[in-house]
Amino acid sequence: MSARVLVVDDLHHNVRLLETKLSLEYFDVSVAMNGPDALAICEKGGCDLVLLDVMMPGMDGFEVCRRLKSNPDTAHLPVVIVTALDQPADRLRGLEAGADDFLTKPIDDTALMTRVRSLLRLKAVTDELRSRALAVREIGGTDPLALAAADTGDGARILLVEDRPSAIDRIGTALARKHDVTVETDPQQALVKAPEGAFDLAVVSLDLEGHDGLRLCSQLRSVERTRNMALIMIGEAHDKARITRGLDFGVNDYLLRPVDRNELVARVRTQVRRRRFSETLRRALQTSMELAITDELTGLHNRRYLDRNMGPIFYEAARHQKGLACLLLDIDRFKSINDTYGHEAGDEVLRAFAERVRQYVRPVDILARYGGEEIVMVVPGVELPDARAIAERIRERIEASPFPVKGGTQDIDVTVSVGVSVRRATDTGPADIIKRADDALYRAKSSGRNRVEAAAA
């Protein structure tokens, strides 16, 4: 796996040692000898992962890590603290600063490379989401990176798969202070519960009675609904080979027994924050995509969506010689509604109008706001008689009951005029159908409104 690794250490010997090891594994290595230089490289997008020493003059590694993880532009970077400090309190400080892992010198080469590759794979999952989120931010949308980086990692739904009563009590009690914990002693039941429980994270014992916990982790990774759930393994010191395999296929983190409760809480918080970071970006991307094709006022598709999607529908109908209808609907005397009752009332009428028309739409149809108070409805597989019948039903439905406005304190009688057209063999594109529907709508308006006019087939 080729990636850019930044080594941050003030001792040349340590830098050369790590640089040599990483280069032999075909990583692109850059170096910073102090905290400020490391921050500058990261902020410029100059690396994919940071190997960070703690004991540096001026700004120590803990502070560098805190700054990286609090900055929306660098919070996504995996940080591994590599130091001679080996006390639980030191490891906890690093994890609380936001580090993704803490490796003690002298470094085990296998552990180092396994962790680096694992973190880089996990980072790759979010990179595409992050690049799209940056595009949203550049055009003035809500900043999803800031929102994602601000998450505390508390309040997660956690599945604990453990069958040792003492471990259940110790781990469950520690996590329950900040999270909602579900305990499952049966790995088969855990596999059933996990997709149904909307869990943020699972903590899995590797040495379950009569079952391989690593296989359970693999199964959770292979199921669509749990594929993005964070996973933490708990094993014994002699489980290093199995832990390496787990990290290779996508388990996020691990702890060795006896489990330090503070370290457990810190590692869980790190993994929950990382998962939520990805989920926040994913939701932001989905929202931005929806906003790009949705009319904000009515909730219907917008003109952009219509322009992009009517063409394929038109050419499909032409290729198979099938019917295709277009209904153009316009609220009668809408300006007088705005003038008499105010623009807020006009907006209420538009929303209710869209909702009533929506009731006549099939999944294959297109319903879009065409402009102002006009709505266009594209109906595949329909010829003129049926299209006109649909238009009449909508017209009658609009006229049948008044539209409540101003919080339901007033009612307004509303009518609609509709222009209907269908595809002709001589049409060269969707614009021809819309133009005839627009002409028919003009005739409906000129003939007294509250009526349906159809262009000749």
Side-chain angles (χ1 to χ4, degrees):
M1 175 184 292
S2 179
R4 301 166 301 168
V5 178
L6 173 64
V7 176
V8 187
D9 199 314
D10 65 321
L11 297 179
H12 289 282
H13 171 75
N14 292 340
V15 168
R16 286 197 297 273
L17 182 62
L18 280 174
E19 191 173 15
T20 299
K21 290 180 177 181
L22 292 164
S23 296
L24 288 173
E25 297 294 327
Y26 301 100
F27 290 105
D28 182 9
V29 183
S30 56
V31 173
M33 305 298 292
N34 56 65
D37 287 349
L39 291 174
I41 291 171
C42 293
E43 288 168 1
K44 292 177 182 177
C47 67
D48 297 303
L49 180 143
V50 182
L51 295 179
L52 179 62
D53 185 39
V54 170
M55 306 300 292
M56 296 186 295
M59 185 186 302
D60 67 18
F62 296 132
E63 179 62 21
V64 174
C65 187
R66 273 191 291 271
R67 295 194 185 191
L68 288 173
K69 292 299 182 177
S70 64
N71 183 345
D73 292 327
T74 56
H76 66 292
L77 288 175
V79 177
V80 178
I81 289 180
V82 182
T83 178
L85 301 176
D86 61 354
Q87 296 302 305
D90 299 317
R91 191 160 57 245
L92 183 60
R93 281 189 68 192
L95 295 170
E96 288 181 338
D100 296 272
D101 207 348
F102 192 104
L103 299 179
T104 304
K105 300 176 183 176
I107 301 169
D108 178 89
D109 289 356
T110 301
L112 171 65
M113 296 308 167
T114 298
R115 207 67 184 102
V116 166
R117 291 191 182 96
S118 172
L119 287 169
L120 287 171
R121 279 194 296 271
L122 292 170
K123 175 180 177 287
V125 173
T126 62
D127 276 351
E128 178 64 22
L129 293 172
R130 185 174 175 274
S131 66
R132 296 187 184 187
L134 285 169
V136 172
R137 188 173 68 177
E138 290 299 320
I139 62 175
T142 302
D143 187 352
L145 296 181
L147 180 64
D151 191 277
T152 63
D154 293 338
R157 285 182 53 79
I158 296 176
L159 177 63
L160 171 60
V161 188
E162 174 65 87
D163 56 9
R164 299 183 185 184
S166 60
I168 291 172
D169 179 64
R170 183 178 181 82
I171 296 172
T173 300
L175 295 178
R177 295 170 186 167
K178 293 287 183 74
H179 308 287
D180 178 11
V181 181
T182 298
V183 177
E184 182 51 66
T185 60
D186 183 347
Q188 294 301 328
Q189 286 301 310
L191 197 60
V192 173
K193 278 186 179 178
E196 299 172 350
F199 294 104
D200 296 289
L201 177 143
V203 179
V204 180
S205 172
L206 292 185
D207 51 352
L208 298 164
E209 184 68 29
H211 194 90
D212 183 357
L214 193 60
R215 183 170 298 280
L216 175 60
C217 291
S218 175
Q219 290 169 323
L220 290 171
R221 271 289 172 264
S222 65
V223 175
E224 179 66 29
R225 291 174 63 185
T226 58
R227 186 164 294 157
N228 295 322
M229 181 173 65
L231 292 176
I232 294 180
M233 303 174 283
I234 295 181
E236 305 284 353
H238 58 73
D239 284 326
K240 290 290 183 70
R242 296 169 71 204
I243 288 170
T244 297
R245 289 180 64 188
L247 293 173
D248 277 341
F249 69 66
V251 176
N252 301 76
D253 205 350
Y254 69 94
L255 291 105
L256 298 179
R257 301 185 197 271
V259 174
D260 181 276
R261 282 179 287 192
N262 292 325
E263 181 177 350
L264 166 70
V265 170
R267 288 187 183 274
V268 165
R269 182 172 57 244
T270 295
Q271 295 307 323
V272 169
R273 290 190 67 192
R274 180 169 287 279
R275 179 185 186 277
R276 288 178 176 173
F277 186 93
S278 297
E279 290 301 311
T280 299
L281 296 188
R282 190 173 285 108
R283 286 194 299 270
L285 175 60
Q286 181 63 33
T287 299
S288 67
M289 292 172 64
E290 290 174 356
L291 289 175
I293 61 171
T294 302
D295 175 64
E296 185 176 0
L297 177 61
T298 64
L300 302 179
H301 290 306
N302 59 19
R303 183 71 175 269
R304 181 186 295 110
Y305 180 89
L306 175 70
D307 291 342
R308 289 182 178 178
N309 288 273
M310 190 174 173
I313 291 175
F314 171 86
Y315 294 113
E316 178 73 8
R319 183 161 51 251
H320 296 285
Q321 296 297 299
K322 292 184 177 180
L324 177 64
C326 176
L327 282 61
L328 194 56
L329 308 95
D330 189 13
I331 297 175
D332 294 327
R333 297 186 174 89
F334 185 72
K335 183 177 183 302
S336 67
I337 295 175
N338 282 330
D339 292 343
T340 304
Y341 299 96
H343 287 277
E344 288 187 8
D347 289 347
E348 288 183 82
V349 168
L350 269 175
R351 283 191 289 266
F353 172 56
E355 192 56 40
R356 291 192 191 184
V357 177
R358 200 197 305 268
Q359 297 172 16
Y360 294 89
V361 176
R362 306 167 302 171
V364 296
D365 300 337
I366 293 177
L367 187 64
R369 188 178 180 187
Y370 195 63
E373 67 277 13
E374 290 184 338
I375 290 177
V376 65
M377 184 173 172
V378 180
V379 191
V382 171
E383 299 292 354
L384 191 59
D386 288 335
R388 180 157 193 156
I390 294 169
E392 283 289 356
R393 286 198 294 271
I394 294 174
R395 185 197 63 77
E396 292 169 0
R397 178 72 179 86
I398 299 299
E399 184 184 25
S401 54
F403 284 58
V405 297
K406 298 188 176 180
T409 60
Q410 288 183 273
D411 289 334
I412 301 176
D413 291 323
V414 176
T415 62
V416 62
S417 298
V418 188
V420 180
S421 67
V422 294
R423 186 187 65 82
R424 294 176 179 171
T426 56
D427 288 340
T428 60
D432 296 334
I433 305 178
I434 294 176
K435 176 63 168 60
R436 287 197 302 279
D438 192 35
D439 292 340
L441 174 62
Y442 179 79
R443 292 197 303 274
K445 293 283 189 183
S446 301
S447 300
R449 298 183 176 85
N450 189 24
R451 60 186 292 124
V452 174
E453 288 285 342

